[in-house]
Amino acid sequence: MEQALIARRGILALPIALAVTSPALAASTRTARDLLRAFLDTLSAHDLKAFRALYVDDGYVQHQTLVMNTPSATSGPDAAVAYFRRRIEAFPDLKVTSDVSVVDGDMISANLIWSGTHAGEYLGVPATGRHVTFNSTDIMKVRDGLFSEHWGAADLYGLVNQLKA
């Protein structure tokens, strides 16, 4: 009974495994769960071109104020790509996984686990060479197999404490 309820609600009870070599699905046939997997795969592979293709071209709304965003002409999904580009530059071996996620219709909620070695300046902290792990909690809305909105919170306090330890 409990497993049937979990399956019906779309709750992922096991960690998401990366499948970088699997072919990407066309946006029109991609489910919200497929989109989350593609998010994890493309970021872990540092494939920002494929990562950008996961977002709607127009109307993307970022509800979270990103710490590293600076005023510029870049907005929407291109701002998200620029944000993650800076994270990958600071942590060149960055991997992202999820230990739990919930998909309900066009909404995804996930706890993301980020890990990597601090090899470049990040959040004002010069490279330390330390390996860190931190998490973020993210809610994403899907439209036509692509991300259209995002809300989230990352444990940047915990990350900075690891970098300065």
Side-chain angles (χ1 to χ4, degrees), residues 116-160:
T117 306
H118 185 219
E121 184 275 330
Y122 195 69
L123 298 175
V125 180
T128 63
R130 291 188 178 101
H131 190 277
V132 298
T133 300
F134 64 101
N135 76 303
S136 65
T137 303
D138 297 89
I139 301 169
M140 298 159 279
K141 187 168 186 167
V142 177
R143 179 175 28 123
D144 299 325
L146 299 170
F147 292 120
S148 61
E149 295 185 59
H150 172 264
W151 300 259
D155 181 17
L156 299 179
Y157 178 78
L159 170 60
V160 170

Side-chain angles (χ1 to χ4, degrees), residues 29-67:
T29 62
R30 186 170 31 220
T31 66
R33 182 144 328 273
D34 294 332
L35 187 59
L36 176 59
R37 187 172 313 276
F39 176 93
L40 300 172
D41 290 350
T42 57
L43 274 180
S44 291
H46 305 173
D47 185 348
L48 293 176
K49 182 177 180 185
F51 179 74
R52 170 57 180 88
L54 301 177
Y55 291 83
V56 295
D57 285 327
D58 61 342
Y60 175 75
V61 179
Q62 174 58 261
H63 297 280
Q64 175 186 5
T65 301
L66 301 175
V67 171

Side-chain angles (χ1 to χ4, degrees), residues 43-44 46 87-88 91-96 114-117 134:
L43 274 180
S44 291
H46 305 173
R87 187 173 284 176
I88 289 168
F91 301 91
D93 60 346
L94 184 73
K95 298 293 178 205
V96 60
W114 306 84
S115 63
T117 306
F134 64 101

Side-chain angles (χ1 to χ4, degrees), residues 38 70 83 100 120-121 141 163:
T70 56
Y83 175 78
V100 65
E121 184 275 330
K141 187 168 186 167
L163 297 177

